[in-house]
Amino acid sequence: MKNVIEPKVEIIGNGKPVVVVVGGIHGDEKVGLRVFEKIKSELLISKGTLMLITANRQALAKGVRFIDSDLNRSFPGSINGGIEDQLAIKLMKIVSGCDYLLDLHACSVPNPAFCIIRSKNKINLAKRTNLTNVVIFPLKKQGGRSLIDQVENGIGLELGAYENIGTTNAGFYAVTNFLSSLDMLKKRK
C-alpha cells in the first residue's frame, strides 16, 4: 500500500444543504485553491454546510497532473491501486451524503467558463451557477469514473486557463451564484 496524503477538508457552517466544492483533483490545476481563498475571505455562510476539499495534495505539491493515474478517472477507487485509486476511496467517503458537488477545473488554453453535466435533466443544476455555457458530456463517454458521477447532484466546472485571474473569478462567480441559489449566503457588511 502506498503512502497517500489525506485530502484537506475545510468545513464552514452546519446543517443542510451540504455543498461540496472540490479543487485540486489535478495537481496542475490550482484554480480551486485560489477560489477557496476568495470564498473564505469574501463569503459568509448563513445556512447549511460548505465543504471545501483540496483533493490531490501530492500532485499539487509536485505541480503535476497526477502521481500514478488521473484521479478524475479513478473513481470509485481501488484499495490495491496507486495513489489516486486509494485517494478516490477516501474522497468517496468524504462526499457521501452530500446534497451537491461542484468540481473545479482549469485547462491549458483560454476558454469561456462552462458547466459539465451528464444529462439534460441536470440543466437546472447547471443554471444555479449562472454560467452561460453548459456542455452535456454523457456518462458513457468517460465511463462513470469521474467524481461528479459518484453523487446524485454533481457538476464539473471548467473555468478557463490555468493561471489566469479570470479563471479564479469565474470559479468564485459560479460557486457564489450556486450558494446564493440555495439561500446559503449572508451579505458582508
PDB file of all heavy atoms in Angstrom, residues 12-44:
ATOM      1  N   ILE A  12     -17.344  24.759   6.616  1.00  0.00           N
ATOM      2  CA  ILE A  12     -17.869  26.054   7.036  1.00  0.00           C
ATOM      3  C   ILE A  12     -19.370  25.895   7.229  1.00  0.00           C
ATOM      4  O   ILE A  12     -20.073  25.460   6.316  1.00  0.00           O
ATOM      5  CB  ILE A  12     -17.578  27.141   5.976  1.00  0.00           C
ATOM      6  CG1 ILE A  12     -16.065  27.215   5.687  1.00  0.00           C
ATOM      7  CG2 ILE A  12     -18.120  28.495   6.424  1.00  0.00           C
ATOM      8  CD1 ILE A  12     -15.711  28.017   4.448  1.00  0.00           C
ATOM      9  N   GLY A  13     -19.861  26.236   8.399  1.00  0.00           N
ATOM     10  CA  GLY A  13     -21.286  26.123   8.687  1.00  0.00           C
ATOM     11  C   GLY A  13     -21.672  24.721   9.111  1.00  0.00           C
ATOM     12  O   GLY A  13     -20.827  23.860   9.357  1.00  0.00           O
ATOM     13  N   ASN A  14     -22.988  24.506   9.205  1.00  0.00           N
ATOM     14  CA  ASN A  14     -23.505  23.176   9.553  1.00  0.00           C
ATOM     15  C   ASN A  14     -24.942  23.050   9.082  1.00  0.00           C
ATOM     16  O   ASN A  14     -25.587  24.034   8.761  1.00  0.00           O
ATOM     17  CB  ASN A  14     -23.375  22.908  11.060  1.00  0.00           C
ATOM     18  CG  ASN A  14     -24.121  23.930  11.884  1.00  0.00           C
ATOM     19  OD1 ASN A  14     -25.322  24.103  11.739  1.00  0.00           O
ATOM     20  ND2 ASN A  14     -23.409  24.629  12.749  1.00  0.00           N
ATOM     21  N   GLY A  15     -25.418  21.852   9.058  1.00  0.00           N
ATOM     22  CA  GLY A  15     -26.786  21.588   8.637  1.00  0.00           C
ATOM     23  C   GLY A  15     -26.899  21.401   7.131  1.00  0.00           C
ATOM     24  O   GLY A  15     -25.920  21.260   6.417  1.00  0.00           O
ATOM     25  N   LYS A  16     -28.140  21.392   6.694  1.00  0.00           N
ATOM     26  CA  LYS A  16     -28.463  21.170   5.284  1.00  0.00           C
ATOM     27  C   LYS A  16     -28.740  22.488   4.581  1.00  0.00           C
ATOM     28  O   LYS A  16     -29.208  23.418   5.221  1.00  0.00           O
ATOM     29  CB  LYS A  16     -29.694  20.266   5.175  1.00  0.00           C
ATOM     30  CG  LYS A  16     -29.448  18.848   5.624  1.00  0.00           C
ATOM     31  CD  LYS A  16     -28.678  18.121   4.580  1.00  0.00           C
ATOM     32  CE  LYS A  16     -28.743  16.611   4.772  1.00  0.00           C
ATOM     33  NZ  LYS A  16     -28.145  15.910   3.669  1.00  0.00           N
ATOM     34  N   PRO A  17     -28.495  22.573   3.305  1.00  0.00           N
ATOM     35  CA  PRO A  17     -27.890  21.565   2.444  1.00  0.00           C
ATOM     36  C   PRO A  17     -26.380  21.482   2.651  1.00  0.00           C
ATOM     37  O   PRO A  17     -25.765  22.405   3.167  1.00  0.00           O
ATOM     38  CB  PRO A  17     -28.207  22.067   1.034  1.00  0.00           C
ATOM     39  CG  PRO A  17     -28.268  23.548   1.174  1.00  0.00           C
ATOM     40  CD  PRO A  17     -28.837  23.795   2.541  1.00  0.00           C
ATOM     41  N   VAL A  18     -25.822  20.369   2.234  1.00  0.00           N
ATOM     42  CA  VAL A  18     -24.374  20.191   2.258  1.00  0.00           C
ATOM     43  C   VAL A  18     -23.868  20.331   0.827  1.00  0.00           C
ATOM     44  O   VAL A  18     -24.229  19.542  -0.048  1.00  0.00           O
ATOM     45  CB  VAL A  18     -23.976  18.818   2.832  1.00  0.00           C
ATOM     46  CG1 VAL A  18     -22.468  18.619   2.762  1.00  0.00           C
ATOM     47  CG2 VAL A  18     -24.487  18.662   4.258  1.00  0.00           C
ATOM     48  N   VAL A  19     -23.061  21.369   0.610  1.00  0.00           N
ATOM     49  CA  VAL A  19     -22.480  21.626  -0.707  1.00  0.00           C
ATOM     50  C   VAL A  19     -20.977  21.387  -0.613  1.00  0.00           C
ATOM     51  O   VAL A  19     -20.297  21.988   0.222  1.00  0.00           O
ATOM     52  CB  VAL A  19     -22.765  23.068  -1.180  1.00  0.00           C
ATOM     53  CG1 VAL A  19     -22.086  23.333  -2.526  1.00  0.00           C
ATOM     54  CG2 VAL A  19     -24.265  23.322  -1.266  1.00  0.00           C
ATOM     55  N   VAL A  20     -20.487  20.513  -1.461  1.00  0.00           N
ATOM     56  CA  VAL A  20     -19.061  20.204  -1.523  1.00  0.00           C
ATOM     57  C   VAL A  20     -18.480  20.888  -2.758  1.00  0.00           C
ATOM     58  O   VAL A  20     -19.025  20.767  -3.854  1.00  0.00           O
ATOM     59  CB  VAL A  20     -18.827  18.679  -1.615  1.00  0.00           C
ATOM     60  CG1 VAL A  20     -17.357  18.370  -1.833  1.00  0.00           C
ATOM     61  CG2 VAL A  20     -19.347  17.977  -0.369  1.00  0.00           C
ATOM     62  N   VAL A  21     -17.381  21.613  -2.559  1.00  0.00           N
ATOM     63  CA  VAL A  21     -16.640  22.203  -3.672  1.00  0.00           C
ATOM     64  C   VAL A  21     -15.246  21.574  -3.637  1.00  0.00           C
ATOM     65  O   VAL A  21     -14.562  21.629  -2.613  1.00  0.00           O
ATOM     66  CB  VAL A  21     -16.566  23.740  -3.571  1.00  0.00           C
ATOM     67  CG1 VAL A  21     -15.836  24.314  -4.780  1.00  0.00           C
ATOM     68  CG2 VAL A  21     -17.964  24.346  -3.447  1.00  0.00           C
ATOM     69  N   VAL A  22     -14.866  20.970  -4.751  1.00  0.00           N
ATOM     70  CA  VAL A  22     -13.601  20.244  -4.824  1.00  0.00           C
ATOM     71  C   VAL A  22     -12.642  20.966  -5.765  1.00  0.00           C
ATOM     72  O   VAL A  22     -13.009  21.351  -6.873  1.00  0.00           O
ATOM     73  CB  VAL A  22     -13.821  18.803  -5.335  1.00  0.00           C
ATOM     74  CG1 VAL A  22     -12.504  18.043  -5.396  1.00  0.00           C
ATOM     75  CG2 VAL A  22     -14.815  18.067  -4.442  1.00  0.00           C
ATOM     76  N   GLY A  23     -11.419  21.153  -5.305  1.00  0.00           N
ATOM     77  CA  GLY A  23     -10.341  21.706  -6.122  1.00  0.00           C
ATOM     78  C   GLY A  23      -9.148  20.785  -6.046  1.00  0.00           C
ATOM     79  O   GLY A  23      -9.014  19.985  -5.116  1.00  0.00           O
ATOM     80  N   GLY A  24      -8.276  20.882  -7.008  1.00  0.00           N
ATOM     81  CA  GLY A  24      -7.042  20.106  -6.957  1.00  0.00           C
ATOM     82  C   GLY A  24      -7.204  18.636  -7.272  1.00  0.00           C
ATOM     83  O   GLY A  24      -6.381  17.829  -6.848  1.00  0.00           O
ATOM     84  N   ILE A  25      -8.232  18.257  -7.995  1.00  0.00           N
ATOM     85  CA  ILE A  25      -8.325  16.874  -8.487  1.00  0.00           C
ATOM     86  C   ILE A  25      -7.083  16.592  -9.341  1.00  0.00           C
ATOM     87  O   ILE A  25      -6.501  15.526  -9.274  1.00  0.00           O
ATOM     88  CB  ILE A  25      -9.616  16.671  -9.312  1.00  0.00           C
ATOM     89  CG1 ILE A  25     -10.844  16.580  -8.403  1.00  0.00           C
ATOM     90  CG2 ILE A  25      -9.508  15.452 -10.224  1.00  0.00           C
ATOM     91  CD1 ILE A  25     -11.129  15.231  -7.797  1.00  0.00           C
ATOM     92  N   HIS A  26      -6.709  17.594 -10.136  1.00  0.00           N
ATOM     93  CA  HIS A  26      -5.489  17.521 -10.936  1.00  0.00           C
ATOM     94  C   HIS A  26      -4.461  18.484 -10.345  1.00  0.00           C
ATOM     95  O   HIS A  26      -4.768  19.645 -10.111  1.00  0.00           O
ATOM     96  CB  HIS A  26      -5.777  17.888 -12.394  1.00  0.00           C
ATOM     97  CG  HIS A  26      -6.706  16.934 -13.066  1.00  0.00           C
ATOM     98  ND1 HIS A  26      -7.858  17.335 -13.703  1.00  0.00           N
ATOM     99  CD2 HIS A  26      -6.649  15.588 -13.191  1.00  0.00           C
ATOM    100  CE1 HIS A  26      -8.472  16.278 -14.195  1.00  0.00           C
ATOM    101  NE2 HIS A  26      -7.762  15.204 -13.900  1.00  0.00           N
ATOM    102  N   GLY A  27      -3.260  17.996 -10.127  1.00  0.00           N
ATOM    103  CA  GLY A  27      -2.228  18.780  -9.457  1.00  0.00           C
ATOM    104  C   GLY A  27      -1.685  19.954 -10.249  1.00  0.00           C
ATOM    105  O   GLY A  27      -1.030  20.827  -9.688  1.00  0.00           O
ATOM    106  N   ASP A  28      -1.977  20.003 -11.531  1.00  0.00           N
ATOM    107  CA  ASP A  28      -1.540  21.150 -12.334  1.00  0.00           C
ATOM    108  C   ASP A  28      -2.655  22.193 -12.462  1.00  0.00           C
ATOM    109  O   ASP A  28      -2.529  23.148 -13.218  1.00  0.00           O
ATOM    110  CB  ASP A  28      -1.045  20.699 -13.709  1.00  0.00           C
ATOM    111  CG  ASP A  28      -2.083  19.912 -14.507  1.00  0.00           C
ATOM    112  OD1 ASP A  28      -3.150  19.562 -13.956  1.00  0.00           O
ATOM    113  OD2 ASP A  28      -1.820  19.632 -15.694  1.00  0.00           O
ATOM    114  N   GLU A  29      -3.736  22.017 -11.719  1.00  0.00           N
ATOM    115  CA  GLU A  29      -4.876  22.936 -11.746  1.00  0.00           C
ATOM    116  C   GLU A  29      -5.077  23.524 -10.347  1.00  0.00           C
ATOM    117  O   GLU A  29      -5.756  22.949  -9.516  1.00  0.00           O
ATOM    118  CB  GLU A  29      -6.137  22.214 -12.214  1.00  0.00           C
ATOM    119  CG  GLU A  29      -6.019  21.653 -13.610  1.00  0.00           C
ATOM    120  CD  GLU A  29      -7.236  20.847 -14.048  1.00  0.00           C
ATOM    121  OE1 GLU A  29      -8.292  20.907 -13.386  1.00  0.00           O
ATOM    122  OE2 GLU A  29      -7.115  20.140 -15.067  1.00  0.00           O
ATOM    123  N   LYS A  30      -4.491  24.676 -10.105  1.00  0.00           N
ATOM    124  CA  LYS A  30      -4.541  25.290  -8.779  1.00  0.00           C
ATOM    125  C   LYS A  30      -5.699  26.275  -8.617  1.00  0.00           C
ATOM    126  O   LYS A  30      -5.838  26.913  -7.582  1.00  0.00           O
ATOM    127  CB  LYS A  30      -3.214  25.969  -8.479  1.00  0.00           C
ATOM    128  CG  LYS A  30      -2.086  24.950  -8.339  1.00  0.00           C
ATOM    129  CD  LYS A  30      -0.776  25.597  -7.996  1.00  0.00           C
ATOM    130  CE  LYS A  30       0.293  24.611  -7.649  1.00  0.00           C
ATOM    131  NZ  LYS A  30       0.649  23.632  -8.600  1.00  0.00           N
ATOM    132  N   VAL A  31      -6.550  26.388  -9.627  1.00  0.00           N
ATOM    133  CA  VAL A  31      -7.658  27.344  -9.563  1.00  0.00           C
ATOM    134  C   VAL A  31      -8.546  27.095  -8.357  1.00  0.00           C
ATOM    135  O   VAL A  31      -9.006  28.034  -7.716  1.00  0.00           O
ATOM    136  CB  VAL A  31      -8.479  27.355 -10.878  1.00  0.00           C
ATOM    137  CG1 VAL A  31      -9.204  26.033 -11.109  1.00  0.00           C
ATOM    138  CG2 VAL A  31      -9.465  28.508 -10.871  1.00  0.00           C
ATOM    139  N   GLY A  32      -8.791  25.854  -8.023  1.00  0.00           N
ATOM    140  CA  GLY A  32      -9.643  25.543  -6.871  1.00  0.00           C
ATOM    141  C   GLY A  32      -9.120  26.147  -5.586  1.00  0.00           C
ATOM    142  O   GLY A  32      -9.875  26.696  -4.787  1.00  0.00           O
ATOM    143  N   LEU A  33      -7.809  26.102  -5.388  1.00  0.00           N
ATOM    144  CA  LEU A  33      -7.202  26.652  -4.174  1.00  0.00           C
ATOM    145  C   LEU A  33      -7.392  28.167  -4.117  1.00  0.00           C
ATOM    146  O   LEU A  33      -7.670  28.733  -3.051  1.00  0.00           O
ATOM    147  CB  LEU A  33      -5.715  26.305  -4.110  1.00  0.00           C
ATOM    148  CG  LEU A  33      -5.364  24.824  -4.269  1.00  0.00           C
ATOM    149  CD1 LEU A  33      -3.867  24.614  -4.150  1.00  0.00           C
ATOM    150  CD2 LEU A  33      -6.121  23.965  -3.295  1.00  0.00           C
ATOM    151  N   ARG A  34      -7.254  28.829  -5.268  1.00  0.00           N
ATOM    152  CA  ARG A  34      -7.453  30.281  -5.313  1.00  0.00           C
ATOM    153  C   ARG A  34      -8.927  30.642  -5.077  1.00  0.00           C
ATOM    154  O   ARG A  34      -9.224  31.616  -4.388  1.00  0.00           O
ATOM    155  CB  ARG A  34      -6.942  30.838  -6.642  1.00  0.00           C
ATOM    156  CG  ARG A  34      -5.422  30.712  -6.788  1.00  0.00           C
ATOM    157  CD  ARG A  34      -4.874  31.458  -7.978  1.00  0.00           C
ATOM    158  NE  ARG A  34      -5.471  31.070  -9.237  1.00  0.00           N
ATOM    159  CZ  ARG A  34      -4.995  30.127 -10.052  1.00  0.00           C
ATOM    160  NH1 ARG A  34      -3.899  29.463  -9.725  1.00  0.00           N
ATOM    161  NH2 ARG A  34      -5.592  29.857 -11.190  1.00  0.00           N
ATOM    162  N   VAL A  35      -9.828  29.855  -5.633  1.00  0.00           N
ATOM    163  CA  VAL A  35     -11.263  30.078  -5.398  1.00  0.00           C
ATOM    164  C   VAL A  35     -11.579  29.877  -3.914  1.00  0.00           C
ATOM    165  O   VAL A  35     -12.316  30.664  -3.317  1.00  0.00           O
ATOM    166  CB  VAL A  35     -12.127  29.161  -6.291  1.00  0.00           C
ATOM    167  CG1 VAL A  35     -13.598  29.233  -5.890  1.00  0.00           C
ATOM    168  CG2 VAL A  35     -11.951  29.528  -7.763  1.00  0.00           C
ATOM    169  N   PHE A  36     -10.992  28.872  -3.296  1.00  0.00           N
ATOM    170  CA  PHE A  36     -11.221  28.628  -1.862  1.00  0.00           C
ATOM    171  C   PHE A  36     -10.811  29.839  -1.030  1.00  0.00           C
ATOM    172  O   PHE A  36     -11.508  30.220  -0.087  1.00  0.00           O
ATOM    173  CB  PHE A  36     -10.448  27.403  -1.377  1.00  0.00           C
ATOM    174  CG  PHE A  36     -10.928  26.087  -1.925  1.00  0.00           C
ATOM    175  CD1 PHE A  36     -10.209  24.936  -1.679  1.00  0.00           C
ATOM    176  CD2 PHE A  36     -12.084  25.978  -2.687  1.00  0.00           C
ATOM    177  CE1 PHE A  36     -10.631  23.704  -2.170  1.00  0.00           C
ATOM    178  CE2 PHE A  36     -12.516  24.758  -3.189  1.00  0.00           C
ATOM    179  CZ  PHE A  36     -11.780  23.612  -2.928  1.00  0.00           C
ATOM    180  N   GLU A  37      -9.668  30.445  -1.356  1.00  0.00           N
ATOM    181  CA  GLU A  37      -9.204  31.617  -0.599  1.00  0.00           C
ATOM    182  C   GLU A  37     -10.197  32.767  -0.720  1.00  0.00           C
ATOM    183  O   GLU A  37     -10.491  33.450   0.257  1.00  0.00           O
ATOM    184  CB  GLU A  37      -7.802  32.027  -1.045  1.00  0.00           C
ATOM    185  CG  GLU A  37      -6.719  31.033  -0.649  1.00  0.00           C
ATOM    186  CD  GLU A  37      -6.746  30.665   0.822  1.00  0.00           C
ATOM    187  OE1 GLU A  37      -6.799  31.584   1.676  1.00  0.00           O
ATOM    188  OE2 GLU A  37      -6.724  29.459   1.133  1.00  0.00           O
ATOM    189  N   LYS A  38     -10.701  32.992  -1.928  1.00  0.00           N
ATOM    190  CA  LYS A  38     -11.704  34.055  -2.119  1.00  0.00           C
ATOM    191  C   LYS A  38     -12.989  33.739  -1.346  1.00  0.00           C
ATOM    192  O   LYS A  38     -13.566  34.626  -0.728  1.00  0.00           O
ATOM    193  CB  LYS A  38     -12.024  34.242  -3.609  1.00  0.00           C
ATOM    194  CG  LYS A  38     -10.973  35.020  -4.367  1.00  0.00           C
ATOM    195  CD  LYS A  38     -11.366  35.273  -5.813  1.00  0.00           C
ATOM    196  CE  LYS A  38     -12.456  36.261  -6.019  1.00  0.00           C
ATOM    197  NZ  LYS A  38     -12.133  37.669  -5.818  1.00  0.00           N
ATOM    198  N   ILE A  39     -13.409  32.505  -1.381  1.00  0.00           N
ATOM    199  CA  ILE A  39     -14.617  32.106  -0.647  1.00  0.00           C
ATOM    200  C   ILE A  39     -14.446  32.389   0.834  1.00  0.00           C
ATOM    201  O   ILE A  39     -15.310  32.996   1.471  1.00  0.00           O
ATOM    202  CB  ILE A  39     -14.933  30.607  -0.884  1.00  0.00           C
ATOM    203  CG1 ILE A  39     -15.456  30.390  -2.310  1.00  0.00           C
ATOM    204  CG2 ILE A  39     -15.925  30.084   0.154  1.00  0.00           C
ATOM    205  CD1 ILE A  39     -15.575  28.935  -2.714  1.00  0.00           C
ATOM    206  N   LYS A  40     -13.315  31.956   1.389  1.00  0.00           N
ATOM    207  CA  LYS A  40     -13.089  32.117   2.830  1.00  0.00           C
ATOM    208  C   LYS A  40     -12.946  33.575   3.234  1.00  0.00           C
ATOM    209  O   LYS A  40     -13.323  33.945   4.344  1.00  0.00           O
ATOM    210  CB  LYS A  40     -11.857  31.308   3.272  1.00  0.00           C
ATOM    211  CG  LYS A  40     -12.105  29.804   3.185  1.00  0.00           C
ATOM    212  CD  LYS A  40     -10.958  28.988   3.726  1.00  0.00           C
ATOM    213  CE  LYS A  40      -9.750  29.061   2.834  1.00  0.00           C
ATOM    214  NZ  LYS A  40      -8.661  28.172   3.243  1.00  0.00           N
ATOM    215  N   SER A  41     -12.448  34.422   2.355  1.00  0.00           N
ATOM    216  CA  SER A  41     -12.261  35.823   2.716  1.00  0.00           C
ATOM    217  C   SER A  41     -13.459  36.704   2.368  1.00  0.00           C
ATOM    218  O   SER A  41     -13.626  37.776   2.953  1.00  0.00           O
ATOM    219  CB  SER A  41     -10.993  36.386   2.066  1.00  0.00           C
ATOM    220  OG  SER A  41     -11.142  36.472   0.672  1.00  0.00           O
ATOM    221  N   GLU A  42     -14.308  36.262   1.445  1.00  0.00           N
ATOM    222  CA  GLU A  42     -15.364  37.149   0.966  1.00  0.00           C
ATOM    223  C   GLU A  42     -16.798  36.688   1.222  1.00  0.00           C
ATOM    224  O   GLU A  42     -17.721  37.483   1.097  1.00  0.00           O
ATOM    225  CB  GLU A  42     -15.178  37.402  -0.535  1.00  0.00           C
ATOM    226  CG  GLU A  42     -13.856  38.115  -0.846  1.00  0.00           C
ATOM    227  CD  GLU A  42     -13.687  38.423  -2.317  1.00  0.00           C
ATOM    228  OE1 GLU A  42     -14.705  38.647  -3.006  1.00  0.00           O
ATOM    229  OE2 GLU A  42     -12.528  38.451  -2.771  1.00  0.00           O
ATOM    230  N   LEU A  43     -17.000  35.423   1.561  1.00  0.00           N
ATOM    231  CA  LEU A  43     -18.368  34.932   1.746  1.00  0.00           C
ATOM    232  C   LEU A  43     -18.649  34.568   3.196  1.00  0.00           C
ATOM    233  O   LEU A  43     -17.760  34.110   3.912  1.00  0.00           O
ATOM    234  CB  LEU A  43     -18.622  33.697   0.870  1.00  0.00           C
ATOM    235  CG  LEU A  43     -18.495  33.866  -0.638  1.00  0.00           C
ATOM    236  CD1 LEU A  43     -18.825  32.553  -1.342  1.00  0.00           C
ATOM    237  CD2 LEU A  43     -19.381  34.982  -1.157  1.00  0.00           C
ATOM    238  N   LEU A  44     -19.881  34.743   3.584  1.00  0.00           N
ATOM    239  CA  LEU A  44     -20.355  34.310   4.900  1.00  0.00           C
ATOM    240  C   LEU A  44     -21.479  33.299   4.691  1.00  0.00           C
ATOM    241  O   LEU A  44     -22.487  33.609   4.049  1.00  0.00           O
ATOM    242  CB  LEU A  44     -20.890  35.494   5.710  1.00  0.00           C
ATOM    243  CG  LEU A  44     -19.874  36.529   6.166  1.00  0.00           C
ATOM    244  CD1 LEU A  44     -20.579  37.723   6.800  1.00  0.00           C
ATOM    245  CD2 LEU A  44     -18.894  35.902   7.157  1.00  0.00           C
TER     246      LEU A  44
END
